[in-house]
C-alpha cells in the first residue's frame, strides 16, 4: 500500500483505494464480532491480576469500575472511527488517514510492542499456577525456566499452522471461562467481608492509588479494539463494530468485576498480596481443601498457554500486514508452509525471552507487574492516536461530514477517551513510561530506513 502524502491525509481514505479494504467475504455478524471482542478481552492475565492489585486495597475494585467505563468509551470511539474507515487495520489505519504514514507506523509499532510484551507477561503469569502443581520453592532460576517454557511451547506450536492454532484457541477459550464463572457466581455466596482489608492500603493518596491500580488493570481490558482491528471481516462494519465493541466490553466487565470481588472476599488480604495463584486460593476457600485449587491451577495453566498460542499468532500477523505495506522489514512478510508468518513468530519469541531475562531477577511477582505496566503504555499510545484522529476529523469536518446533532456527543467521547488514555499512561509510573518510550523510539530508525529505501527504489521510476 502506498502511504498517503500530507495532502492526501487531509481527506479520509477511500476504502476501495486501500488494499486492506479489498473485496472479501465478511464473515462476522454481531454475535460473532461480540464473541471476538469478549474472547480477546478475557485472556490469561486476569488469573494473576487480583494479587497484583491487592497491595492497593479495595480502591482497586473502584478502579475496575472506572476502567470499565473508560473501556466502554474506547469501544464507542472505535465504533465511530470504523464508520469512517471500515477496513481491517483499525488502530493503524485511523492515525495514518488523519496524520500520515509516520503516525500510522508509530501506532502499529507500539501495538506490536504491546503484543510481545503481553506475551512475556502471560508467560510469567503461568509461574504462580505451576507452583501450585509443582512447588518451585521460590527458586528464581526454576521460575524463569517455567516462564520460558510457557513462551516457547506455544511458539513452537504456531509453526504447525493456523489450523492447529485455531483448535487450541477453542479449547483454551472454554477452559478459561470455567474458573472465572465458578468464582464469579458460586464464590459470591462464600464471601467474608473481613477479607477485603483496608480501602486504601497503598499509603498513597486515593487518586494516586486509583490511577496506579487502573494502569495495572488495563491489561485485563486489552482487546476492546478487536472488532475495529478486524473490521474488514465484519459484516456491516459501520454499525456492527461499535455495537460489538460495547456489548463485548460490558459482558467482560461484568465477569471481571464479579470475579475480582469474589477473590477479594474469599482470600484474606494479607494472603492475597503474596499469592501467586489467586483463583486457586479462592477455590480452595470455597471447597475447604486443596483439590479445588489444584484443579483450577491445571485449568489456568492450560488456559494461559492457549491464550499465549493466540497472542503469538496475532503478534506475528500485525508486522506481517505492515511489512506488506512497506512499513515493517521485509522478512516479517514471509509465510511458512502452515500459513504462519514464521519470522514474526521467531521475533516475538526471542524478544519475549530477552524481556523476561532482563526483568526476572526481581522475581515473578515484580516481573509481571513491570511487564503489565509497559503493556499499559504501549497499548495506550494507539488509543491516544486514535482519539486524536477522531478529534481531528471532528474539528475539520463540515456539515456534510459531521451530523450537528451528534457533534457534541462525539466530541465528548473522543475527548474523554484521549484523557482516559493519558491518565492511564500517567498512572503507569516512571519506570514503565521510561521503558515504553525506549521501545517506541527504537522503531524510529526502522521507519527512517524503510521510508528511505522506499524513496530510493521509487526514484528511477
Amino acid at each position: 500500500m502506498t502511504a498517503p502524502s500530507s495532502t492526501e491525509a487531509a481527506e479520509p481514505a477511500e476504502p476501495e483505494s486501500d488494499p486492506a479494504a479489498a473485496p472479501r467475504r465478511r464473515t462476522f455478524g454481531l454475535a460473532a464480532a461480540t464473541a471476538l471482542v469478549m474472547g480477546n478481552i478475557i485472556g490469561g492475565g486476569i488469573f494473576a491480576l487480583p494479587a497484583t492489585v491487592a497491595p492497593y486495597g479495595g480502591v482497586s475494585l473502584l478502579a475496575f469500575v472506572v476502567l470499565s467505563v473508560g473501556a466502554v468509551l474506547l469501544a464507542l470511539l472505535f465504533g465511530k472511527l470504523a464508520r469512517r474507515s471500515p477496513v481491517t487495520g483499525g488502530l493503524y489505519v485511523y492515525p495514518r488517514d488523519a496524520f500520515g504514514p509516520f503516525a500510522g507506523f508509530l501506532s502499529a509499532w507500539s501495538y506490536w510492542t504491546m503484543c510481545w510484551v503481553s506475551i512475556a507477561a502471560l508467560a510469567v503469569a503461568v509461574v504462580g499456577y505451576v507452583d501450585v502443581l509443582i512447588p518451585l520453592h521460590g527458586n528464581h532460576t526454576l521460575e524463569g525456566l517455567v516462564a520460558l517454557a510457557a513462551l516457547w511451547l506455544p511458539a513452537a506450536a504456531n509453526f504447525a499452522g493456523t489450523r492447529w492454532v485455531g483448535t487450541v484457541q477453542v479449547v483454551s477459550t472454554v477452559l478459561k471461562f470455567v474458573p472465572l464463572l465458578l468464582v464469579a457466581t458460586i464464590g459470591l455466596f462464600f464471601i467474608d467481608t473481613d477479607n477485603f482489608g483496608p480501602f486504601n492500603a497503598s499509603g498513597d493518596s486515593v487518586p494516586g492509588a486509583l490511577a496506579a491500580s487502573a494502569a495495572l488493570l488495563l491489561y485485563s481490558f486489552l482487546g476492546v479494539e478487536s472488532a475495529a482491528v478486524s473490521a474488514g471481516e465484519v459484516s456491516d462494519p459501520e454499525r456492527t463494530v461499535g455495537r460489538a465493541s460495547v456489548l463485548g466490553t460490558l459482558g467482560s466487565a461484568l465477569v471481571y468485576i464479579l470475579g475480582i470481588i469474589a477473590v477479594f472476599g474469599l482470600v484474606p488480604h494479607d494472603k492475597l498480596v503474596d499469592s501467586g495463584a489467586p483463583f486457586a486460593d479462592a477455590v480452595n476457600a470455597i471447597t475447604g481443601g486443596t483439590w479445588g485449587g489444584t484443579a483450577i491451577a491445571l485449568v489456568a495453566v492450560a488456559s494461559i498457554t492457549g491464550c499465549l498460542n493466540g497472542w503469538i499468532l496475532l503478534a506475528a500477523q500485525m508486522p506481517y500486514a505492515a511489512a506488506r505495506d512497506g512499513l515493517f522489514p521485509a522478512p516479517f512478510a514471509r509465510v511458512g508452509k502452515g500459513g504462519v508468518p514464521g519470522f514474526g513468530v521467531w521475533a516475538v519469541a526471542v524478544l519475549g525471552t530477552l524481556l523476561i531475562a532482563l526483568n526476572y531477577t526481581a522475581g515473578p511477582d515484580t516481573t509481571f507487574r513491570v511487564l503489565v505496566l509497559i503493556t499499559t503504555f504501549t497499548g495506550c499510545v494507539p488509543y491516544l492516536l486514535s482519539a486524536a484522529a477522531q478529534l481531528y476529523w471532528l474539528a475539520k469536518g463540515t456539515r456534510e461530514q459531521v451530523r450537528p446533532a451528534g457533534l457534541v456527543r462525539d466530541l465528548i467521547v473522543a475527548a474523554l477517551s484521549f484523557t482516559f488514555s493519558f491518565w492511564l499512561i500517567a498512572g503507569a509510573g516512571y519506570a514503565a513510561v521510561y521503558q515504553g518510550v525506549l521501545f517506541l523510539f527504537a522503531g524510529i530508525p526502522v521507519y527512517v530506513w524503510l521510508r528511505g529505501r522506499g524513496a530510493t527504489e521509487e526514484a528511477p521510476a
Side-chain angles (χ1 to χ4, degrees):
M1 174 173 57
T2 303
S5 65
S6 58
T7 303
E8 294 169 334
E11 296 297 331
E14 294 296 327
E16 58 268 26
S17 65
D18 193 331
R24 67 183 71 188
R25 183 180 179 185
R26 298 178 182 266
T27 57
F28 291 153
L30 177 59
T34 302
L36 175 68
V37 173
M38 196 168 178
N40 284 354
I41 289 177
I42 302 179
I46 188 62
F47 289 110
L49 279 173
T52 306
V53 298
Y56 295 99
V59 71
S60 56
L61 298 176
L62 178 60
F64 232 128
V65 175
V66 173
L67 194 60
S68 299
V69 175
V72 171
L73 285 171
L74 289 172
L76 291 171
L77 172 71
F78 297 142
K80 291 296 181 183
L81 286 167
R83 287 178 177 268
R84 176 177 294 279
S85 302
V87 297
T88 295
L91 276 64
Y92 158 67
V93 173
Y94 309 144
R96 183 204 66 190
D97 287 352
F99 309 121
F102 183 59
F105 170 81
L106 281 182
S107 187
W109 180 270
S110 188
Y111 191 82
W112 176 64
T113 303
M114 181 271 291
C115 285
W116 61 262
V117 174
S118 296
I119 288 166
L122 280 173
V124 172
V126 171
V127 174
Y129 286 93
V130 170
D131 190 45
V132 174
L133 303 173
I134 307 172
L136 302 175
H137 305 294
N139 187 313
H140 288 184
T141 300
L142 288 177
E143 292 167 344
L145 291 175
V146 169
L148 292 178
L151 171 65
W152 279 96
L153 287 176
N158 266 267
F159 290 105
T162 54
R163 179 178 299 179
W164 169 255
V165 174
T167 302
V168 172
Q169 284 304 105
V170 171
V171 175
S172 66
T173 298
V174 173
L175 287 176
K176 71 184 175 185
F177 278 100
V178 172
L180 288 175
L181 293 177
L182 175 65
V183 174
T185 53
I186 298 175
L188 294 175
F189 296 97
F190 293 86
I191 285 178
D192 183 351
T193 55
D194 292 335
N195 290 334
F196 283 96
F199 177 72
N200 182 9
S202 67
D204 197 0
S205 65
V206 171
L210 186 69
S213 56
L216 285 166
L217 291 170
L218 176 67
Y219 185 68
S220 61
F221 275 97
L222 294 176
V224 65
E225 71 283 348
S226 298
V229 171
S230 304
E233 310 295 336
V234 177
S235 60
D236 190 14
E238 292 86 350
R239 293 164 55 88
T240 304
V241 167
R243 294 178 178 179
S245 298
V246 172
L247 291 174
T249 302
L250 288 174
S252 301
L254 179 62
V255 173
Y256 276 165
I257 291 173
L258 293 178
I260 199 170
I261 287 175
V263 171
F264 269 61
L266 288 167
V267 184
H269 181 260
D270 56 345
K271 183 179 179 182
L272 183 60
V273 169
D274 298 322
S275 175
F279 274 84
D281 291 338
V283 173
N284 282 338
I286 296 174
T287 60
T290 59
W291 65 269
T294 302
I296 292 300
L298 281 170
V299 171
V301 169
S303 174
I304 297 173
T305 304
C307 190
L308 274 165
N309 192 63
W311 270 102
I312 288 172
L313 179 61
L314 176 63
Q317 287 178 329
M318 171 65 76
Y320 165 75
R324 296 189 65 184
D325 290 346
L327 290 179
F328 252 72
F332 282 94
R334 297 173 185 165
V335 178
K337 294 181 180 180
V340 174
F343 185 84
V345 172
W346 278 110
V348 164
V350 171
L351 289 170
T353 298
L354 292 175
L355 196 57
I356 291 172
L358 287 173
N359 287 280
Y360 222 96
T361 54
D365 297 334
T366 304
T367 303
F368 182 77
R369 176 189 175 88
V370 170
L371 295 178
V372 165
L373 289 175
I374 295 173
T375 300
T376 294
F377 175 84
T378 52
C380 280
V381 169
Y383 295 165
L384 275 172
L385 291 174
S386 296
Q390 175 71 339
L391 290 171
Y392 169 81
W393 292 122
L394 292 173
K396 181 181 179 295
T398 63
R399 287 186 179 274
E400 290 75 22
Q401 293 172 311
V402 180
R403 291 183 295 115
L407 177 59
V408 174
R409 178 195 61 199
D410 292 347
L411 278 172
I412 291 175
V413 169
L416 289 178
S417 296
F418 186 93
T419 304
F420 174 68
S421 301
F422 195 87
W423 175 66
L424 288 172
I425 289 177
Y430 294 107
V433 172
Y434 170 73
Q435 293 190 54
V437 167
L438 291 181
F439 287 135
L440 185 63
F441 285 0
I444 294 179
V446 177
Y447 177 81
V448 171
W449 170 259
L450 293 172
R451 294 291 290 177
R453 294 294 297 173
T456 302
E457 293 173 359
E458 291 174 4

